[in-house]
Amino acid sequence: MNIGIRNPVVKLIFYAILIVWGVSVLYPLLWTLLDALKNNEQFFFNAPWSLPKFPLLWENFSYVWQKYNFNTYFFNSIVVTAGSTFLGLLLSATTAYVLARYKFRGSNSLYLLYISSMMIPFVLALIPLFFLMNSMHLINTKLGLIVVYASSVLAFGIFVLVGFFKSLPKELEEAAIVDGASYYGTFFKVMLPLSQPGLITIAIINVLNIWNEYIVGTILVNDPSQYTLPVEIGIMQAEMQYRTEWGPLFAALFFTIVPVLILYIFFQRQIASGITAGAVK
């Protein structure tokens, strides 16, 4: 990695800081994996940070997956996360494009209204949100969670994408219209592909937030067949602390952490390029 620092002492300090930061980030994941391979005796009689003893209890993972029907909750989280991320991106991209490229009466006020909603604590809306979703018969449904999560990430997506669309040359739109493209064709075939770095950045951030969301899931869903992973793990934690099943609990946590970690590893370059592109006009 070329960081553009020529002074060897400064470069050494910089790399040392990066190593310490990397260890501090990876250590909780490694600790979760090691604790998932322990039995109760090792939790009670050894230090919490001690290494697991042989034989390693890999069966903790299969035990959690089978006994607690983890495949159902895993599937629910994937459907809800993918659906709400897609819907949130679609709504935020179309709204941001209109606000960035077309000026009409109240456009600035509408943009400020979206942005100001980011300053309102989401917890304050939980009670009216429950009654609203109940009146729409969306309680205990994946569709209800998808609608709520997509709405919650809409303002952030608009905030980021407005800057992207403003940075794109207007000549591209004019050339597409001259060639016979409609407004929808110009957006979906020309402008949307050019904003791909911003879309990927928003998508990954939204996936991380939605995948780990707990409060809304517990309020809008009380049917066990519709639980997402964070909700089920919260219930498992309450049960396992009385049955002293600490190894399986850490195995369940590891199942939750790994998918988003893999996603970040594969798209880390796109995240960095998206943030950089959004800052440069």
Side-chain angles (χ1 to χ4, degrees), residues 53 68 102 107 123 145-146 150-151 154 158 189 212 250 253:
K53 297 180 180 180
Y68 289 91
Y102 299 97
S107 60
V123 178
L145 290 177
I146 290 174
S151 302
L154 182 60
I158 292 174
K189 295 181 180 180
N212 296 314
F250 279 98
L253 290 174

Side-chain angles (χ1 to χ4, degrees), residues 133-159:
M133 301 304 290
N134 187 44
S135 65
M136 299 172 64
H137 305 287
L138 292 177
I139 299 295
N140 289 326
T141 63
K142 297 182 185 67
L143 179 59
L145 290 177
I146 290 174
V147 170
V148 172
Y149 290 149
S151 302
S152 66
V153 301
L154 182 60
F156 174 73
I158 292 174
F159 174 72

Side-chain angles (χ1 to χ4, degrees), residues 109-120 155:
S109 300
L110 183 60
Y111 175 70
L112 292 176
L113 180 63
Y114 277 115
I115 301 306
S116 61
S117 66
M118 298 173 62
M119 298 182 289
I120 301 175

Side-chain angles (χ1 to χ4, degrees), residues 207-218:
V207 166
L208 295 177
N209 292 332
I210 296 170
W211 182 269
N212 296 314
E213 203 286 323
Y214 173 77
I215 297 178
V216 174
T218 58

Side-chain angles (χ1 to χ4, degrees), residues 10-275:
V10 176
K11 183 181 293 187
L12 180 62
I13 295 174
F14 183 82
Y15 279 117
I17 294 174
L18 288 180
I19 291 173
V20 172
W21 178 262
V23 171
S24 66
V25 171
L26 293 176
Y27 176 73
L29 177 63
L30 180 61
W31 186 46
T32 302
L33 175 61
L34 295 178
D35 281 352
L37 302 175
K38 295 180 180 180
N39 55 28
N40 288 335
E41 181 181 352
Q42 297 179 54
F43 277 101
F44 293 138
F45 297 103
N46 297 332
W49 53 84
S50 62
L51 296 175
K53 297 180 180 180
F54 289 93
L56 302 178
L57 298 182
W58 293 102
E59 57 267 26
N60 283 339
F61 292 94
S62 59
Y63 170 79
V64 168
W65 192 269
Q66 296 174 3
K67 179 178 176 59
Y68 289 91
N69 201 20
F70 232 59
N71 57 332
T72 299
Y73 311 124
F74 207 86
F75 174 77
N76 291 342
S77 286
I78 291 177
V79 171
V80 170
T81 302
S84 54
T85 300
F86 174 78
L87 181 60
L89 281 178
L90 179 63
L91 295 177
S92 60
T94 51
T95 305
Y97 176 69
V98 172
L99 293 176
R101 307 303 262 186
Y102 299 97
K103 294 300 179 183
F104 53 90
R105 180 178 298 179
S107 60
N108 291 331
S109 300
L110 183 60
Y111 175 70
L112 292 176
L113 180 63
Y114 277 115
I115 301 306
S116 61
S117 66
M118 298 173 62
M119 298 182 289
I120 301 175
F122 193 69
V123 178
L124 297 179
L126 290 178
I127 295 178
L129 177 64
F130 175 82
F131 288 106
L132 176 62
M133 301 304 290
N134 187 44
S135 65
M136 299 172 64
H137 305 287
L138 292 177
I139 299 295
N140 289 326
T141 63
K142 297 182 185 67
L143 179 59
L145 290 177
I146 290 174
V147 170
V148 172
Y149 290 149
S151 302
S152 66
V153 301
L154 182 60
F156 174 73
I158 292 174
F159 174 72
V160 175
L161 290 177
V162 163
F164 269 91
F165 288 125
K166 284 184 176 180
S167 66
L168 298 177
K170 292 184 178 181
E171 290 77 10
L172 295 174
E173 291 173 290
E174 296 172 354
I177 294 175
V178 169
D179 289 339
S182 63
Y183 289 111
Y184 292 101
T186 301
F187 172 71
F188 285 105
K189 295 181 180 180
V190 179
M191 306 304 289
L192 196 61
L194 291 175
S195 63
Q196 181 179 354
L199 293 174
I200 294 177
T201 302
I202 297 171
I204 295 177
I205 293 176
N206 290 345
V207 166
L208 295 177
N209 292 332
I210 296 170
W211 182 269
N212 296 314
E213 203 286 323
Y214 173 77
I215 297 178
V216 174
T218 58
I219 292 176
L220 299 184
V221 176
N222 53 37
D223 181 1
S225 65
Q226 301 296 325
Y227 284 164
T228 56
L229 279 177
V231 176
E232 175 59 19
I233 288 179
I235 296 174
M236 289 173 58
Q237 190 273 335
E239 295 177 356
M240 287 180 170
Q241 66 179 344
Y242 294 107
R243 293 204 298 262
T244 62
E245 294 180 333
W246 298 111
L249 178 60
F250 279 98
L253 290 174
F254 192 78
F255 276 133
T256 307
I257 296 173
V258 167
V260 292
L261 180 64
I262 295 175
L263 181 69
Y264 179 79
I265 291 174
F266 276 101
F267 292 98
Q268 58 178 325
R269 293 183 180 274
Q270 285 82 353
I271 295 176
S273 62
I275 295 175

